[in-house]
Amino acid sequence: MVKRRRFAIVTAAVASLTLVAACNNNSGSGTASGGSGTTGTAVTGGTLNLLGSGDVDYMDPNISYYSSGYLNLRMWSRQLFTYPAEQGQTTNPVADLATELPTAANGGISADGKTYKIKIRTGAKWNTSPARQVTAADLVRGVKRTANPVQPFGGIPDFASLIVGYQAFQNGFAKVAKTPQAIADYIEKTPLPGVEAKDQTTVVFHLTHPATYFVDMLTLPAFSPAPVEVLKYLPASTELGNHEISDGPYQVDSWVPTKSINYSRNPAWDPATDPIRKAYVDKIVVNETVSQESIQQQLQTGTASADLEFDMSPAPSQLPALIAKKDPNLNLGDTSSSNPYVVYNTVSPNNTKALTDVRVRQAISYAINRDHIIQVLGGPTVNPPLSHVLPDAITGSKQNDPYPYNPDKAKQLLAAAGHPHLTLKLLYRNSSEGGSKAFQTIQQDLAKVGITVVGVPSPNADFYVKYLQVPTVAQRGVWDLSLAGWAPDWYGNAALSFFNPLYFGQPSFPPIGSNFGLYNNPAATALIKQATDAPTTDAAAALWAQADAKVMADAPFFPITSPKNANYHAAQVNNAVYIPAIQNFDPTNVWLASGKQG
Amino acid sequence: MTPLLRIEDVHKEFPTQRREVVHAVDGVSLEVRRGETLGLVGETGCGKSTLARCIARLYDVTSGSVWFDGHDITSSSRRELRALRRSVQVIFQDPYGSLNPRRRVGSIIGDPFAIHGIAAGPERKKKVQELMELVGLNPEHYNRFPAEFSGGQRQRIGVARALALRPKLVICDEPVSALDVSIQAQIINLLADLQHEFDLTYVFISHDLSVVRHVSDRIAVMYLGKIVEVAPTEELFGQTRHPYTRALLSALPVADPDTADSREQIILAGDIPSAVGPPTGCRFHTRCPKAGAVCGSSEPPLEPVLDDGPEHRTACFFPLTIGENLSAAVLKAS
Amino acid sequence: MTAIMEVVEAPQIQGRSPFTLAMRRLRRDKVAMVSLAVIALIVLMAVFAPVFAHLTGHPPNEQYRDTGLTPDGLPRGPDGTFWLGTDDLGRDVLVRIAYGARVSLLVGVAATAITVAVGIVLGLAAGFLGGIVDTVLARLIDVVLSVPFLLVAIALVSVTGPSLTITVLVIGFFSWASVARIVRGQVLSLREREFVEAARSLGAGDTRIMFVDILPNVLAPVIVYTTLLVPVVIVTQATLSFLGLGLPPPTADWGGMINEAQAYYTTAWWFILFPGLALLITTLAFNLFGDGVRDAFDPRADRS
Ligand SMILES: Nc1ncnc2c1ncn2[C@@H]1O[C@H](COP(=O)(O)OP(=O)(O)OP(=O)(O)O)[C@@H](O)[C@H]1O
Ligand code: SF4
Ligand SMILES: [Mg+2]
């Protein structure tokens, strides 16, 4: 399970930490009979089996913040906009519950870019009895639930200051008793000025400033509608999880946390109202108790009871072999993340404050051999290089490699800065294979330019809580370099999701933001502000590119790679389209070859 | 002149697992005079070794007092005792158990020097080898382990160790009873020679009256934690007063065929009573052929009886007269 | 019996200590002697680890991107350059095994030494002094022995962070109790022996009696236990490393290598096989040698 924003563990490493020794044989499977393409005629029916080792974070659309949660929500929860299972289009939002994408031309977006008017499709229904239309009021209720005091949504900082009145609404909510009744009362009686139900199916958003990324942001499941029935339960509770009401093609029949989830068709769902989900299979079953080894083995043997991974990926050590034989069932999908990257502690007092000098940070950036780290992490196929802030698929990403490997340049810069020899402390998670490898490789590279790197190993649990999230720890110089990872909350027009929490000066400092190295350049902050408020997507893209270049020039960090997410599906699975938002193939659009529909 | 050692009303009790109390030594008063050998005899378990350990202050006494060389050492501190250790030494019964099997003989005999910081290195070695010669051991066997010696040789090692510091008082706790009879004489002679040479005072413990008779100037007879009779050796044998002493004597092998007939064979009835709840009155009354009513209720004091002088004291209400036949009493009693 | 000339004129007769006798028995034990030879080889390998680095030209922490790794970052198999292949960072497995032997042996010896020292002192104190000291120590021994060692070790190392010192201390802390228990049991009967009384009557203090008189008598079982403890300690250290709680990288150690290698067992067998073999052979040698020592010190053969 990969956490969306701060990476709990360098992605590749999680999966490899299995102690189970099982016999594994790669040969003799993976014939390209079905393939992952859309060849053949789609067959309806059958049971889709997903195998995993972990559970969803929350069975609650307005609260869930993890990719496995999003994968689960894909079956039974719809948003105004979502990403389609269409090769090449998987990071471009399309209308889901909404009738169309809002534009200035169709009147969906006001002239000042601060008001969004969105219409919900008639006929999109909850599986209540009798089935009931999904309304604008439901959507308002859903947005309000994100601010609940029991388990608030993790991504609130993205929009707290964007949606008019949200901050005040949340502050008031925090004082409410943590009971279903009190929460329901607050939600039903307290207005949230920025989200308004104009009529039964028209919802209007009022924003504090123009935000070209707003439609992208609305793809977050947090902005799902919530029927009034959910107010009977505490947000994110297990009871609620077992009484959720569905507006998607499937409904949750049963959920046994950490064990299994069973879905069946939702009779209230009308395919005519849902252009996104084809819903070929009749049933979906998630088994959450299978080891990584076993999952891979079952998927490769092609048994009818194993179709897709749930929260797991193939072991990194097996990837090269799968890649080498061009296994058609393997997919290396975009993550739009930057992970890992090296953070510089820009306020470190060590080495007579050497790291506060931009030349020293630039020197380190020249001295780290990106290719070398990429190689030990599994090679460029899985870890394509990333040499600036924004990964390729993010709007505003512009190719820029300011620090190509150049140890001589590094030495010159260090000499010029008066620090020919440095001793740097590198904080890393010692139980993370990727972290440990990256540390050792950086240690060797930097030794070549006269920098001694000393490891500061940290237990996983302490890494953020006791080190990176505590600004005074950075100020005291407990670490000089560290390894972190970042994934955006949404895709496509998501540059904000990088810059705002990582490089936006004081407001981005931990623990609220994740600017662990306490980078603070007013010029960069101003550029970010400008890009955030840009009136058009094109203008925003240009400004984000400038901000990217500006931040890179200041060298507060060293990007390494935007890794691919590896997914594997069984041969009988057809039309397996990978969607970055759920870090998996879209289960609502795959079909099972006949004869393999168990 | 003060006696070298004097103990007064010494009691030693041991708690047992079952919260009872063993009265191992139960009110003993004695003195040991300079240069003499005091024999201490009694059946096994009567408290001889315990008394010896009390005298050597290896035990803290439960009550009573111990005087050595005119000083009260009853409650001496550890430091004071260290000095006492140089003057009072013990030779143990078991020549196997009393020597550390994992240490070389040289270092065992050298221990007293090491502990008291008297001699070290080659000097210590020289002294040890002298001691070995003195007790009749081959000094070349300095580096051997105890297991490589015979029982008699081992006891010589024990003697050498005890004499290392030139003590005044040596307590020999059954020094020969573990040895072959042939060897016993050698060790006893060695002890006698050493006594002459170094002016030693001995407390000689044994359950074997013939050995005690051979070495002792005076003899104290012990029964269940108490001294029942004490007298100069020949007097004890000639004018036996206590029925228990007589019983012990009767068990002796006959040395003199002439007296054989006049000697009766007394086999004591019953087991020795437990020291946990010793009999009231005279401790011996449960087995004594002469016991009368008073014997079970009150305790006979240890004092001269009949026409005995102050040197001969007996704890008995009905002491034996010379020539009295104990078996007559047995008949009477039954 | 050997007679040797001393500086002193008299020829000295050397006694045959129980220890000497045990050694003699041990020397006749073929399996034990072969194991000892293997141990000696491993020690040599550890001592001369730099020679391995020199011979191969590969320092233990040097990463060979081009020759030692595939472009996808997979280890390379044994060949003329890397005799036992490379690891996941392109380092020479052979050289790292040699350097790893240093860690294993160092921890094995150091932790065992601490264990034995602490165990002997506390065991002696508990058994000899008795009373409240014994009550407290005996409880402590029970507690330490009932602690799920690995779990606590993991928790502890996660708090303090991994290091050589902490590994040694953690292992030492959790192993002394067995030694203490053995020693205490022996001392309980030894302190009743007459030679202890004899020492006391000579004026020896508790400390001298414990260490001069009693200690030599508990050494045999302790020596036996110690030789069998070394392999346990080595495996424990490797286990901690395997769980990522061993030495911080890039220091080479067998447990750490096996840990790194497990992700590659299908793709790079040499990476897990050779460190695993090194660990197996070492512990096997120590165990067989320990068995020999135990037989040699067998108390049944002791009363000769
Ligand atoms: N440490 C002790 N704890 C408890 N009881 C003891 C202890 N030492 C001796 N006793 C008991 O005290 C009594 C006298 O014992 P002691 O050893 O003094 O007898 P003894 O006359 O020396 O016997 P032996 O001829 O067998 O050496 C016995 O009943 C014995 O069991
Ligand atoms: S006092 Fe009585 S019981 Fe005791 S010995 Fe004399 S006659 Fe026997
Ligand atoms: Mg005795």
Side-chain angles (χ1 to χ4, degrees):
Chain A
M1 182 152 65
V2 173
K3 194 172 180 174
R4 297 187 64 74
R5 299 180 55 138
R6 281 167 201 150
F7 274 71
I9 294 177
V10 172
T11 327
V14 175
S16 73
L17 273 177
T18 168
L19 303 181
V20 185
C23 173
N24 193 326
N25 190 347
N26 285 345
S27 61
S29 67
T31 46
S33 60
S36 56
T38 47
T39 53
T41 319
V43 188
T44 305
T47 300
L48 183 71
N49 292 288
L50 279 68
L51 307 182
S53 304
D55 202 3
V56 297
D57 56 340
Y58 302 111
M59 186 69 83
D60 187 334
N62 304 121
I63 318 298
S64 182
Y65 197 38
Y66 282 74
S67 49
S68 58
Y70 288 5
L71 174 63
N72 152 65
L73 292 170
R74 184 77 172 180
M75 331 281 187
W76 60 272
S77 162
R78 297 176 61 187
Q79 294 75 44
L80 291 175
F81 308 100
T82 197
Y83 301 111
E86 208 176 306
Q87 286 311 350
Q89 298 297 315
T90 55
T91 56
N92 297 329
V94 294
D96 183 355
L97 278 174
T99 52
E100 59 183 346
L101 283 174
T103 58
N106 67 18
I109 307 177
S110 63
D112 63 1
K114 297 207 280 191
T115 306
Y116 281 67
K117 194 161 90 189
I118 299 155
K119 210 152 168 48
I120 295 173
R121 289 178 206 266
T122 326
K125 289 189 174 142
W126 297 115
N127 65 342
T128 45
S129 44
R132 201 175 64 222
Q133 170 69 37
V134 176
T135 65
D138 292 335
L139 197 106
V140 174
R141 187 179 299 113
V143 179
K144 286 178 174 178
R145 288 185 80 246
T146 59
N148 80 83
V150 175
Q151 186 58 62
F153 172 59
I156 289 175
D158 288 335
F159 53 79
S161 60
L162 176 65
I163 295 174
V164 171
Y166 188 91
Q167 197 70 69
F169 179 83
Q170 191 194 7
N171 293 344
F173 216 160
K175 301 186 190 99
V176 165
K178 296 177 179 180
T179 63
Q181 190 54 50
I183 290 170
D185 283 354
Y186 186 82
I187 287 178
E188 296 301 295
K189 293 181 185 145
T190 316
L192 170 54
V195 192
E196 193 189 348
K198 254 283 181 287
D199 57 39
Q200 159 119 56
T201 53
T202 311
V203 60
V204 177
F205 289 93
H206 302 283
L207 308 183
T208 56
H209 56 80
T212 56
Y213 51 85
F214 190 61
V215 166
D216 299 77
M217 185 189 264
L218 286 178
T219 62
L220 287 173
F223 292 104
S224 302
V228 67
E229 287 83 356
V230 304
L231 294 181
K232 284 189 281 192
Y233 306 93
L234 277 180
S237 63
T238 308
E239 302 80 71
L240 172 60
N242 274 303
H243 294 91
E244 286 284 13
I245 288 169
S246 164
D247 60 350
Y250 300 96
Q251 59 194 16
V252 179
D253 286 346
S254 72
W255 169 47
V256 186
T258 74
K259 297 281 184 305
S260 64
I261 313 176
N262 284 279
Y263 309 86
S264 64
R265 285 197 183 279
N266 174 5
W269 176 76
D270 177 2
T273 70
D274 189 343
I276 309 299
R277 301 167 186 83
K278 294 284 183 281
Y280 293 113
V281 301
D282 291 336
K283 282 178 181 263
I284 300 174
V285 174
V286 179
N287 181 348
E288 300 176 347
T289 60
V290 195
S291 73
Q292 183 189 37
E293 295 273 351
S294 172
I295 294 170
Q296 185 64 23
Q297 213 172 358
Q298 294 185 42
L299 292 177
Q300 287 191 325
T301 45
T303 56
S305 57
D307 300 309
L308 295 179
E309 297 150 338
F310 182 57
D311 62 340
M312 275 287 151
S313 285
S317 62
Q318 298 190 349
L319 281 179
L322 294 173
I323 294 168
K325 68 172 183 178
K326 299 201 164 51
D327 193 317
N329 303 323
L330 175 74
N331 183 76
L332 296 176
D334 175 56
T335 58
S336 288
S337 64
S338 175
N339 179 35
Y341 60 86
V342 184
V343 204
Y344 302 151
N345 179 356
T346 65
V347 299
S348 171
N350 304 330
N351 302 293
T352 61
K353 297 193 175 174
L355 280 182
T356 61
D357 187 333
V358 66
R359 288 172 297 179
V360 172
R361 300 197 300 265
Q362 289 171 336
I364 300 171
S365 295
Y366 278 118
I368 298 177
N369 188 339
R370 177 179 290 115
D371 293 344
H372 193 178
I373 301 176
I374 285 173
Q375 186 185 17
V376 300
L377 291 180
T381 316
V382 189
N383 299 290
L386 175 64
S387 55
H388 54 105
V389 178
L390 295 175
D392 288 350
I394 303 291
T395 308
S397 174
K398 188 173 165 212
Q399 184 48 36
N400 174 25
D401 186 3
Y403 307 107
Y405 180 57
N406 189 341
D408 294 331
K409 187 90 183 265
K411 279 188 227 167
Q412 285 166 24
L413 279 166
L414 286 173
H419 295 286
H421 297 289
L422 290 176
T423 299
L424 299 177
K425 295 190 252 180
L426 193 152
L427 174 70
Y428 70 102
R429 281 166 291 204
N430 57 297
S431 58
S432 138
E433 188 192 336
S436 163
K437 283 183 178 181
F439 154 61
Q440 296 179 70
T441 306
I442 292 168
Q443 187 180 47
Q444 190 184 3
D445 286 343
L446 293 191
K448 292 181 183 136
V449 299
I451 298 176
T452 309
V453 175
V454 181
V456 180
S458 155
N460 258 338
D462 294 347
F463 187 66
Y464 285 114
V465 183
K466 291 202 182 140
Y467 291 95
L468 292 186
Q469 280 184 351
V470 189
T472 53
V473 167
Q475 282 152 0
R476 287 208 319 271
V478 174
W479 58 275
D480 297 305
L481 311 175
S482 187
L483 295 161
W486 194 258
D489 278 10
W490 63 90
Y491 296 80
N493 195 343
L496 175 77
S497 197
F498 279 88
F499 285 98
N500 195 38
L502 294 179
Y503 310 111
F504 194 57
Q506 186 85 41
S508 61
F509 286 1
I512 292 160
S514 297
N515 181 356
F516 304 125
L518 307 179
Y519 164 68
N520 190 357
N521 181 350
T525 311
L527 261 176
I528 294 167
K529 183 92 187 83
Q530 229 182 316
T532 309
D533 295 354
T536 67
T537 307
D538 288 347
L543 284 163
W544 287 128
Q546 278 184 45
D548 191 331
K550 175 75 200 137
V551 168
M552 285 314 295
D554 286 341
F557 81 117
F558 182 76
I560 296 166
T561 173
S562 179
K564 295 288 188 200
N565 197 61
N567 290 98
Y568 197 87
H569 63 79
Q572 69 266 23
V573 176
N574 293 274
N575 193 33
V577 180
Y578 170 84
I579 298 181
I582 58 177
Q583 299 204 348
N584 210 328
F585 307 110
D586 180 1
T588 63
N589 281 299
V590 299
W591 53 272
L592 298 169
S594 41
K596 288 272 196 176
Q597 299 198 319
Chain B
M1 200 163 73
T2 51
L4 184 60
L5 180 98
R6 184 160 62 82
I7 60 174
E8 213 135 287
D9 198 24
V10 163
H11 291 255
K12 179 64 190 175
E13 296 168 359
F14 296 108
T16 67
Q17 304 287 26
R18 285 176 290 153
R19 290 161 183 265
E20 294 161 339
V21 174
V22 179
H23 301 268
V25 174
D26 203 10
V28 170
S29 301
L30 262 184
E31 55 178 55
V32 183
R33 296 165 198 158
R34 291 171 203 275
E36 77 166 346
T37 297
L38 174 71
L40 190 61
V41 289
E43 282 169 289
T44 179
C46 72
K48 303 183 297 291
S49 295
T50 306
L51 181 60
R53 284 167 168 78
C54 288
I55 293 172
R57 288 292 282 103
L58 291 172
Y59 286 161
D60 286 328
V61 300
T62 309
S63 66
S65 55
V66 183
W67 298 70
F68 183 80
D69 221 354
H71 301 285
D72 184 356
I73 58 164
T74 318
S75 45
S76 297
S77 68
R78 279 173 166 249
R79 272 192 54 216
E80 290 163 334
L81 283 179
R82 258 175 75 85
L84 176 76
R85 301 272 177 251
R86 299 186 59 169
S87 308
V88 181
Q89 276 299 314
V90 183
I91 296 171
F92 294 89
Q93 168 176 6
D94 179 4
Y96 296 85
S98 60
L99 301 180
N100 195 328
R102 300 281 165 177
R103 299 184 60 210
R104 291 171 198 278
V105 166
S107 63
I108 291 177
I109 300 176
D111 253 357
F113 302 118
I115 291 167
H116 293 275
I118 288 172
E123 190 195 346
R124 186 191 301 168
K125 184 171 179 178
K126 194 166 146 272
K127 285 189 177 240
V128 168
Q129 290 186 326
E130 282 168 14
L131 274 169
M132 290 177 77
E133 275 203 84
L134 183 70
V135 298
L137 288 170
N138 182 350
E140 288 169 14
H141 295 168
Y142 183 90
N143 274 325
R144 284 193 174 182
F145 285 85
E148 296 172 88
F149 292 89
S150 70
Q153 285 174 314
R154 286 190 218 196
Q155 200 56 298
R156 287 173 195 269
I157 296 169
V159 172
R161 174 172 62 182
L163 293 188
L165 298 175
R166 298 287 130 86
K168 293 181 182 150
L169 176 64
V170 178
I171 299 164
C172 311
D173 187 359
E174 315 219 25
V176 296
S177 46
L179 304 178
D180 289 351
V181 183
S182 55
I183 315 272
Q184 287 189 358
Q186 296 176 14
I187 298 294
I188 284 173
N189 291 336
L190 172 68
L191 287 172
D193 294 347
L194 293 170
Q195 184 169 32
H196 279 132
E197 195 168 340
F198 299 113
D199 270 341
L200 298 174
T201 305
Y202 285 147
V203 171
F204 194 99
I205 298 173
S206 180
H207 56 257
D208 183 346
L209 255 177
S210 59
V211 172
V212 174
R213 179 182 195 175
H214 182 74
V215 299
S216 306
D217 301 310
R218 293 190 303 134
I219 295 177
V221 180
M222 229 178 145
Y223 184 76
L224 268 186
K226 281 193 171 299
I227 303 290
V228 293
E229 186 170 3
V230 55
T233 305
E234 286 320 313
E235 205 174 323
L236 188 87
F237 281 79
Q239 296 173 40
T240 311
R241 293 299 187 201
H242 201 279
Y244 178 64
T245 312
R246 170 63 67 81
L248 283 184
L249 290 179
S250 74
L252 275 183
V254 181
D256 182 355
D258 293 345
T259 56
D261 292 336
S262 65
R263 289 272 297 280
E264 48 181 346
Q265 200 68 26
I266 301 163
I267 286 94
L268 289 175
D271 286 332
I272 190 165
S274 161
V276 171
T280 53
C282 174
R283 296 286 138 92
F284 191 52
H285 85 259
T286 52
R287 301 163 87 193
C288 179
K290 289 196 73 175
V294 63
C295 304
S297 55
S298 46
E299 243 188 280
L302 181 67
E303 59 190 15
V305 294
L306 305 176
D307 53 353
D308 290 344
E311 283 291 279
H312 188 170
R313 288 174 292 153
T314 310
C316 179
F317 293 121
F318 310 109
L320 297 168
T321 52
I322 294 170
E324 180 180 342
N325 202 330
L326 199 54
S327 33
V330 176
L331 284 174
K332 242 190 289 169
S334 48
Chain C
M1 191 190 314
T2 48
I4 55 158
M5 291 304 291
E6 268 269 338
V7 195
V8 190
E9 63 280 87
Q12 289 296 302
I13 290 162
Q14 194 65 29
R16 285 169 304 176
S17 72
F19 186 78
T20 322
L21 293 173
M23 283 304 128
R24 185 169 302 181
R25 279 194 290 273
L26 188 58
R27 247 176 277 136
R28 286 197 293 261
D29 183 338
K30 282 209 187 62
V31 177
M33 285 302 106
V34 170
S35 309
L36 187 63
V38 172
I39 293 171
L41 283 179
I42 295 163
V43 171
L44 285 178
M45 177 166 81
V47 171
F48 294 106
V51 174
F52 284 81
H54 186 79
L55 277 180
T56 56
H58 302 146
N61 296 333
E62 188 68 25
Q63 304 175 14
Y64 295 92
R65 291 194 53 188
D66 305 320
T67 50
L69 275 185
T70 69
D72 291 331
L74 286 185
R76 286 207 197 263
D79 58 21
T81 322
F82 300 100
W83 301 342
L84 300 185
T86 63
D87 71 3
D88 58 343
L89 287 177
R91 298 175 295 201
D92 191 321
V93 168
L94 171 67
V95 176
R96 287 180 70 76
I97 285 177
Y99 276 86
R102 299 185 147 195
V103 172
S104 288
L105 293 179
L106 184 69
V107 173
V109 170
T112 304
I114 290 186
T115 298
V116 169
V118 174
I120 283 182
V121 170
L122 295 188
L124 276 177
F128 186 74
L129 299 179
I132 182 84
V133 179
D134 186 35
T135 312
V136 170
L137 286 178
R139 281 289 155 279
L140 191 64
I141 289 171
D142 288 342
V143 168
V144 171
L145 284 180
S146 60
V147 164
F149 161 65
L150 214 52
L151 285 186
V152 177
I154 289 167
L156 217 73
V157 177
S158 340
V159 172
T160 59
S163 73
L164 191 63
T165 326
I166 202 77
T167 306
V168 167
L169 289 182
V170 162
I171 296 175
F173 181 79
F174 283 103
S175 314
W176 65 264
S178 320
V179 178
R181 175 171 278 186
I182 292 173
V183 171
R184 176 178 174 272
Q186 298 268 322
V187 173
L188 279 182
S189 71
L190 282 168
R191 71 167 183 190
E192 303 298 335
R193 296 276 289 272
E194 219 162 33
F195 65 79
V196 171
E197 187 112 54
R200 205 181 281 295
S201 78
L202 291 170
D206 285 348
T207 322
R208 186 183 160 90
I209 293 179
M210 278 195 270
F211 290 98
V212 176
D213 294 297
I214 293 188
L215 183 56
N217 288 280
V218 299
L219 278 186
V222 169
I223 287 172
V224 171
Y225 187 79
T226 304
T227 36
L228 290 169
L229 185 64
V230 172
V232 174
V233 168
I234 289 177
V235 168
T236 307
Q237 188 274 331
T239 308
L240 284 178
S241 275
F242 176 80
L243 297 174
L245 304 166
L247 301 189
T251 313
D253 87 86
W254 297 345
M257 291 176 81
I258 296 170
N259 177 27
E260 288 157 11
Q262 56 171 329
Y264 295 89
Y265 74 92
T266 52
T267 43
W269 54 268
W270 57 91
F271 184 15
I272 197 159
L273 178 71
F274 294 121
L277 268 185
L279 186 62
L280 181 76
I281 291 172
T282 306
T283 50
L284 195 66
F286 271 104
N287 271 315
L288 291 177
F289 181 67
D291 283 348
V293 171
R294 192 189 49 214
D295 292 344
F297 276 97
D298 189 338
R300 272 171 298 147
D302 193 35
R303 304 228 178 254
S304 60

